[in-house]
């Protein structure tokens, strides 16, 4: 990276750190204001803001789910772009390796195998000066081809750099993709923990929710800083990729060759055009010379064996076919012809590989992958980080209100009267307490003395019985969770848990009480 780019990335990191500080400062101010408002509020008018906590939890959950969805899409887009770049790098590397392999094999054929065959032919055809001149001319053409091939750029260093770059990019991308996948799972886990803590009204879960929310808030802003820095750095490369590539390959490849592959302008001639033209012309001339030797020099050796059909070597019919002698001229000429045919095939392959369209397509595919899909994915990941920070800020704001609501519920629960017969806690206590002694009342109850409908208590006792005595009887007979065992005389309406028999008893006692009051003046 250039010093300017490094300063830009450092500035973006500082901006993310400042945003994190402002976010934490806002949360601290919010918590302080919440505590002050709670202290100044009248205790009798304090009410837990359950609706506010519920909506804050719902909002945080929705934002969290949306953030994770956007994050998965951005992570997938970035991964696709990077793998498109890796594919382009590998294909370009194969092209450059193929060029070096063809150049090396063709040069070896011209300097090694062809030279050996021509040396033996010089010995066999030494008596004919014109044939010797032809062989020397062929040797000069082979040397010219080898010289032209040596003038081609060597891509070995560039291929090694591309291999190293591809390995590093694949390594970093694998762990980046895996880290974000784990981050998404962690975000969903913390969000689920927050919902569980708010639903269960558990202090332990609320404390864990608050701590995990702070941790995820810091991680979200750190992720935003990394994504923004990566996006800006990649965009800086995408603005002028040609300058970056020229600076990297200036020591190994000429600027003309790099410009040819980067822009692939068809109006300009290829820098390899002259070398390939000389190669083709020299190869064609060599093939003509060797074909002439096969046609005119073989009849000078009457002991030569006739080659089987399909070899391409034409032997005049006048040559004798009966003798079996060593085939030195024919074998060497056939070997030279095979080498020239192989070199012609290598020439066509080399021409196709050196053409700018193949490498230029790889160059464009790599740029599209990293500059479009990659940068787009990084931007979506940055949006995910912002939404995750907003969601966990909401969770942190909801935690104190949930704690206040939980404290209010416990205070109200402690204020409930244990002697209240309609208190579920009093029923549980009465169930587990041992039975008390018999309490005197206006009537007695015994399950062995008949049904409850036969009870006819005196009216005077009913009118003067204290309410606490009825309450004690309710506690005494509160073991049955479905029905109350003793009617509570004096209340305006029967409780809804009376059995049908007790309701009849209550109505009978109430009528007797009304008639008794009607006999005495008020």
């Amino acid at each position: 990276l250039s010093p300017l780019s490094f300063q830009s990335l450092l500035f973006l990191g500082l901006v993310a750190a400042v945003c994190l500080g402002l976010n934490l400062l806002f949360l601290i101010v919010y918590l302080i204001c919440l505590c002050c408002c709670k202290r100044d509020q009248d205790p009798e008018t304090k009410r837990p803001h359950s609706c506010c906590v519920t909506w804050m939890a719902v909002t945080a959950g929705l934002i969290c789910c949306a953030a994770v969805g956007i994050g998965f899409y951005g992570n997938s887009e970035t991964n696709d772009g990077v793998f498109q770049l890796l594919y382009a790098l590998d294909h370009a590397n194969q092209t450059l390796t193929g060029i070096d392999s063809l150049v090396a094999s063709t040069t070896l054929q011209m300097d090694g195998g062809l030279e050996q065959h021509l040396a033996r032919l010089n010995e066999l055809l030494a008596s004919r000066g014109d044939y010797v001149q032809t062989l020397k001319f062929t040797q000069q053409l082979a040397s010219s081809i080898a010289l032209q091939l040596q003038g081609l750029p060597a891509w070995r260093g560039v291929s090694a750099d591309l291999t190293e770059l591809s390995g590093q990019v694949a390594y970093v991308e694998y762990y980046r993709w895996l880290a974000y996948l784990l981050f998404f799972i962690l975000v969903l886990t913390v969000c689920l923990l927050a919902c569980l803590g708010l639903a269960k009204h558990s202090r332990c879960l609320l404390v864990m929710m608050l701590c995990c929310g702070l941790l995820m808030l810091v991680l979200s802003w750190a992720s935003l800083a990394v994504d923004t820095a990566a996006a800006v750095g990649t965009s800086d490369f995408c603005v002028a990729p040609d300058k970056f590539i020229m600076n990297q390959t200036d020591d190994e490849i000429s600027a003309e060759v790099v410009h040819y592959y980067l822009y692939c302008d068809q109006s300009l001639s290829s820098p390899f055009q002259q070398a390939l033209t000389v190669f083709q012309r020299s190869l064609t001339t060599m093939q003509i010379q060797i074909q002439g030797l096969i046609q005119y020099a073989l009849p000078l050796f009457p002991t030569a064996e006739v080659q089987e059909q399909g070899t391409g070597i034409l032997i005049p019919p006048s040559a004798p076919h009966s003798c079996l002698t060593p085939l030195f001229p024919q074998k060497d000429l056939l070997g030279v012809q095979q080498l020239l045919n192989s070199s012609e095939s290598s020439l066509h392959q080399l021409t196709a590989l050196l053409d700018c369209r193949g490498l230029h397509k790889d160059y464009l595919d790599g740029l599209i992958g990293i500059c479009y899909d990659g940068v787009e994915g990084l931007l979506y990941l940055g949006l995910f980080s912002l939404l995750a920070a907003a969601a966990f800020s909401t969770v942190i704001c909801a935690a104190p209100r949930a704690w206040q609501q939980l404290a209010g519920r416990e205070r109200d629960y402690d204020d409930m009267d244990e002697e209240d017969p309609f208190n579920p806690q009093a029923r549980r206590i009465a169930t587990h307490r041992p039975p008390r002694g018999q309490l005197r009342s206006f009537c007695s109850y015994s399950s062995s003395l008949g049904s409850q409908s036969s009870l006819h208590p005196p009216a005077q006792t009913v009118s003067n019985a204290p309410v606490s005595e009825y309450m004690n009887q309710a506690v005494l007979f509160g073991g049955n969770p479905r029905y109350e065992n003793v009617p509570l005389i004096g209340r305006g309406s029967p409780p809804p848990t009376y059995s049908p028999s007790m309701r009849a008893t209550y109505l009978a006692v109430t009528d007797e009480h009304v008639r008794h009051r009607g006999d005495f003046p008020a």
Side-chain angles (χ1 to χ4, degrees), residues 46-58:
K46 289 183 180 179
R47 293 292 183 271
H49 301 275
S50 59
C51 184
C52 180
V53 173
T54 302
W55 280 109
M56 291 177 72
V58 170

Side-chain angles (χ1 to χ4, degrees), residues 73-84:
Y73 177 76
N75 197 31
S76 177
E77 284 294 312
T78 304
N79 187 257
D80 292 342
V82 172
F83 270 95
Q84 186 174 350

Side-chain angles (χ1 to χ4, degrees), residues 38-47 411:
K38 180 181 177 182
R39 185 176 303 173
D40 296 338
Q41 191 177 4
D42 187 6
E44 297 181 355
T45 60
K46 289 183 180 179
R47 293 292 183 271
R411 184 173 59 252

Side-chain angles (χ1 to χ4, degrees), residues 27-223:
L27 293 176
I28 292 173
V29 172
Y30 172 79
L31 295 177
I32 292 175
C33 294
L34 185 63
C35 293
C36 294
C37 293
K38 180 181 177 182
R39 185 176 303 173
D40 296 338
Q41 191 177 4
D42 187 6
E44 297 181 355
T45 60
K46 289 183 180 179
R47 293 292 183 271
H49 301 275
S50 59
C51 184
C52 180
V53 173
T54 302
W55 280 109
M56 291 177 72
V58 170
T59 303
L62 292 177
I63 295 176
C64 185
C65 293
V68 171
I70 293 174
F72 269 110
Y73 177 76
N75 197 31
S76 177
E77 284 294 312
T78 304
N79 187 257
D80 292 342
V82 172
F83 270 95
Q84 186 174 350
L85 172 64
L86 292 176
Y87 178 80
L89 290 177
D90 292 339
H91 192 268
N93 194 14
Q94 291 178 2
T95 300
L96 299 180
T97 304
I99 293 174
D100 285 340
S101 177
L102 287 174
V103 170
S105 62
T106 306
T107 303
L108 182 62
Q109 289 177 359
M110 294 299 168
D111 291 339
L114 185 62
E115 185 177 358
Q116 293 177 2
H117 289 297
L118 292 179
R120 285 195 293 266
L121 288 174
N122 278 325
E123 294 177 359
L124 293 175
L125 301 177
S127 60
R128 298 293 300 267
D130 52 348
Y131 294 158
V132 172
Q133 292 295 328
T134 301
L135 294 175
K136 289 182 179 181
F137 182 63
T138 304
Q139 181 65 41
Q140 292 177 359
L141 292 176
S143 301
S144 176
I145 290 175
L147 183 62
Q148 294 296 328
L149 292 177
Q150 292 177 0
L152 295 177
W155 301 99
R156 188 176 300 105
V158 178
S159 179
D161 294 338
L162 290 180
T163 302
E164 182 180 1
L165 177 62
S166 178
Q168 292 177 355
V169 171
Y171 178 82
V172 173
E173 173 58 21
Y174 172 75
Y175 284 102
R176 185 208 64 81
W177 177 83
L178 183 61
Y180 269 102
L181 185 62
L182 296 177
F183 190 29
F184 298 152
I185 297 174
L186 184 60
V187 168
L188 291 177
T189 304
V190 174
C191 185
L192 180 62
L193 178 64
C195 295
L196 186 62
L198 294 175
K200 293 293 185 180
H201 300 288
S202 173
R203 292 181 182 273
C204 181
L205 291 178
L206 287 178
V207 172
M208 290 180 61
M209 178 186 73
L210 184 60
C211 296
C212 294
L214 289 173
L215 177 61
M216 299 305 296
L217 184 63
V218 175
L219 291 179
S220 298
W221 283 108
S223 173

Side-chain angles (χ1 to χ4, degrees), residues 415-481:
D415 292 340
M416 295 176 69
D417 187 6
E418 295 183 357
E419 300 298 330
D420 187 0
F422 300 103
N423 183 6
Q425 184 180 8
R427 294 187 179 184
R428 291 194 297 268
I429 295 175
T431 303
H432 293 89
R433 284 181 180 177
R436 299 179 182 178
Q438 295 294 331
L439 299 178
R440 299 183 61 86
S441 177
F442 69 97
C443 63
S444 62
Y445 174 82
S446 176
S447 61
S448 62
L449 296 179
S451 64
Q452 295 175 357
S453 60
S454 63
L455 297 176
H456 297 283
Q460 291 84 358
T461 308
V462 171
S463 60
N464 297 325
V467 178
S468 61
E469 185 175 356
Y470 303 144
M471 303 293 283
N472 293 330
Q473 289 186 2
V475 173
L476 177 61
F477 300 103
N480 186 1

Side-chain angles (χ1 to χ4, degrees), residues 392-413:
F392 289 111
S393 298
T394 307
V395 168
I396 294 172
C397 292
R401 291 185 177 274
W403 189 280
Q404 179 182 359
Q405 180 182 356
L406 180 60
R409 289 172 64 92
E410 291 180 352
R411 184 173 59 252
D412 295 339
Y413 191 76

